């Protein structure tokens, strides 16, 4: 991996390079996606089946687009029982963590006849998109479905691509069934997102769409936002390791490459105060790349978006960490808890040399759907909050309204909104 001395100029260059991966730069695909989305909106199932045959080579219709119970049972016969048990353990951890995020309605009343509050209501129907292209991601099924279940969402619909014979990945079906998905449809790409957003004869309209996807899925989600809610328009995966001279270079190198294998646009960055560590990590990454199965993808990722940044001191290193605002941040320093207190921007923070990023991807419990491309400065991980809505509650007796009525009338009239003022005034004529 390239080693760069950290200064203001190199930091700016790196930030500009990383931002090139943003979905906002995928304009060349927008017209294609727009045509697909509009076609689904107008022609519904007819268009959905057309694009499924065009892109997935599968001939589907209303009779076989929905995954049956028999297909799910068959999937279990082809998935190792030990793996099913591991999925169940992960579900327990994810559910336990997210249950601590639950919010409840509340009301405060005062003696003067005022009651204020907040009503928390789960979303009625949510659509979960699960990719089916380069790899199978049952972990993403769990991370998107379980918070919705914990929130109390009444109906969870999943769409995922099928192969040319109409089959869906066995692991995807098993994970969905274990997590509690209500219905699964064989639909992928931008056409699936449009179907969830607008509804077709086969797929019902949802209130919110969550889940990762390729460029076409990301653009489709952005286009339908407003008709439905979405989780985010996610960019490529990224990991950052903040380390000092106490870190194990072999561990650090392995962790950097764990994200680089996702795709060619993934980012892996080490920020360290130790030149010796920087050199050792660079050597170890080369050793790992030579033996890892996805070496071609890893090599492109590391060459384009991989960096080892050497800072003069830990304050400069932490400032850079906060500027880049990585999706995943590992802190491997002599006192990681103290270092963490100075970190403001990161999607998920992993502390110490035995809290590697894949622990969060699969098993620990916190959500692995995280803000990317610097959006950790203002976005949070997917959570139970994403599957609820809040309504404000206001109740005043006449005795409570009267003392403040003149203030409200004066406020309304200052804005030239005389009907607002009149609405209060008529109650005390």
């Amino acid at each position: 991996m390239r080693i760069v001395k950290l200064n203001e100029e190199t930091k700016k260059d790196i930030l500009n390079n990383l931002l090139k991966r943003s979905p906002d730069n995928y304009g060349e695909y927008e017209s294609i996606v727009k045509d697909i989305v509009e076609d689904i909106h107008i022609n519904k199932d007819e268009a959905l089946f057309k694009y499924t045959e065009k892109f997935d080579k599968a001939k589907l219709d209303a009779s076989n687009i929905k995954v049956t119970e028999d297909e799910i049972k068959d999937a279990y016969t082809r998935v190792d029982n030990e793996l099913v048990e591991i999925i169940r353990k992960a579900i327990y951890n994810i559910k336990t963590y997210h249950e601590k995020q639950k919010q409840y309605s509340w009301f405060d009343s005062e003696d003067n006849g005022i009651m204020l509050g907040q009503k928390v209501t789960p979303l009625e129907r949510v659509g979960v998109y699960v990719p089916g292209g380069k790899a199978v991601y049952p972990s993403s099924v769990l991370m998107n479905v379980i918070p919705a279940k914990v929130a109390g969402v009444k109906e969870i619909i999943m769409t995922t691509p099928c192969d040319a014979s109409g089959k869906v990945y066995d692991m995807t079906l098993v994970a969905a069934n274990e997590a509690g998905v209500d219905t699964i449809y064989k639909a992928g790409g931008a056409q699936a997102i449009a179907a969830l957003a607008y509804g077709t004869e086969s797929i019902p309209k949802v209130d919110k769409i969550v889940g990762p996807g390729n460029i076409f899925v990301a653009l489709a989600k952005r286009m339908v936002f407003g008709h439905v809610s979405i989780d985010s328009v996610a960019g490529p995966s990224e990991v950052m390791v903040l380390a000092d001279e106490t870190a194990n270079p072999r561990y650090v190198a392995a962790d950097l490459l764990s994200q680089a294998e996702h795709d060619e646009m993934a980012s892996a960055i080490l920020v360290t105060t130790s030149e010796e560590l920087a050199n050792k990590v660079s050597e170890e990454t080369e050793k790992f790349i030579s033996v890892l199965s996805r070496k071609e993808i890893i090599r492109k990722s590391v060459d384009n978006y991989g960096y080892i940044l050497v800072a003069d001191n830990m304050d400069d290193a932490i400032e850079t960490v906060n500027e880049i605002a990585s999706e995943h941040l590992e802190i491997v320093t002599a006192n990681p808890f103290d270092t963490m207190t100075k970190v403001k921007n990161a999607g998920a923070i992993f502390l110490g040399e035995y809290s590697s990023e894949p622990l969060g991807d699969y098993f620990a419990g916190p959500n692995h759907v995280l803000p990317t491309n610097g959006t950790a400065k203002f976005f949070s991980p997917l959570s139970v909050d994403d599957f609820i809505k809040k309504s404000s509650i206001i109740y005043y007796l006449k005795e409570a309204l009267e003392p403040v009525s003149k203030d409200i009338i004066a406020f309304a009239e200052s804005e030239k909104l005389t009907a607002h003022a009149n609405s209060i005034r008529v109650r005390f004529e």
Side-chain angles (χ1 to χ4, degrees), residues 282-334:
S282 182
E283 292 171 9
E284 291 292 341
T285 56
E286 293 305 313
K287 293 177 186 176
F288 279 129
I289 291 173
S290 67
V291 298
L292 290 168
S293 63
R294 293 166 69 87
K295 65 182 72 175
E296 291 82 8
I297 292 174
I298 294 172
R299 172 56 65 195
K300 288 181 181 178
S301 166
V302 167
D303 286 351
N304 291 325
Y305 303 107
Y307 297 92
I308 296 175
L309 309 179
V310 181
D312 290 332
N313 54 63
M314 188 53 70
D315 286 342
D316 286 349
I318 292 171
E319 181 182 333
T320 301
V321 165
N322 285 325
E323 276 293 305
I324 294 176
S326 186
E327 177 187 19
H328 306 95
L329 172 65
E330 293 188 11
I331 300 178
V332 194
T333 59

Side-chain angles (χ1 to χ4, degrees), residues 64-97:
N64 61 1
I65 190 172
K66 186 163 77 171
V67 173
T68 65
E69 288 186 16
D70 286 341
E71 286 177 291
I72 295 172
K73 288 177 183 176
D74 286 344
Y76 273 88
T77 66
R78 290 183 292 272
V79 175
D80 190 277
N81 288 335
E82 185 177 349
L83 201 47
V84 176
E85 286 304 314
I86 291 171
I87 287 174
R88 289 170 181 167
K89 290 177 185 177
I91 287 173
Y92 175 82
N93 292 343
I94 298 165
K95 183 180 179 184
T96 300
Y97 179 87

Side-chain angles (χ1 to χ4, degrees), residues 217-259:
V217 169
L219 288 173
K221 285 172 73 174
R222 192 169 68 182
M223 285 179 188
V224 301
F225 177 64
H227 296 280
V228 291
S229 178
I230 62 171
D231 50 353
S232 65
V233 180
S237 188
E238 51 201 33
V239 65
M240 174 177 281
V241 179
L242 173 61
D244 60 17
E245 69 282 355
T246 66
N248 183 317
R250 188 168 171 81
Y251 294 174
V252 172
D255 293 355
L256 289 170
L257 301 185
S258 72
Q259 288 304 292

Side-chain angles (χ1 to χ4, degrees), residues 140-216:
S140 287
V141 176
L142 306 186
M143 292 294 182
N144 282 278
V145 172
I146 292 170
K149 295 291 288 186
V150 171
V153 173
K154 186 176 179 181
E155 185 180 3
I156 300 174
I157 290 169
M158 191 176 94
T159 62
T160 188
C162 62
D163 63 19
S165 66
K167 292 187 179 298
V168 174
Y169 282 128
D170 293 328
M171 279 288 291
T172 299
L173 294 183
V174 169
N177 189 63
E178 292 291 330
V181 171
D182 294 293
T183 314
I184 306 169
Y185 293 97
K186 302 169 186 176
Q191 60 271 23
I193 299 301
L196 289 169
Y198 299 114
T200 74
E201 293 87 348
S202 296
I203 299 179
K205 182 187 186 308
V206 300
D207 300 313
K208 184 166 189 169
I209 301 171
V210 300
N214 61 17
I215 292 169
F216 299 97

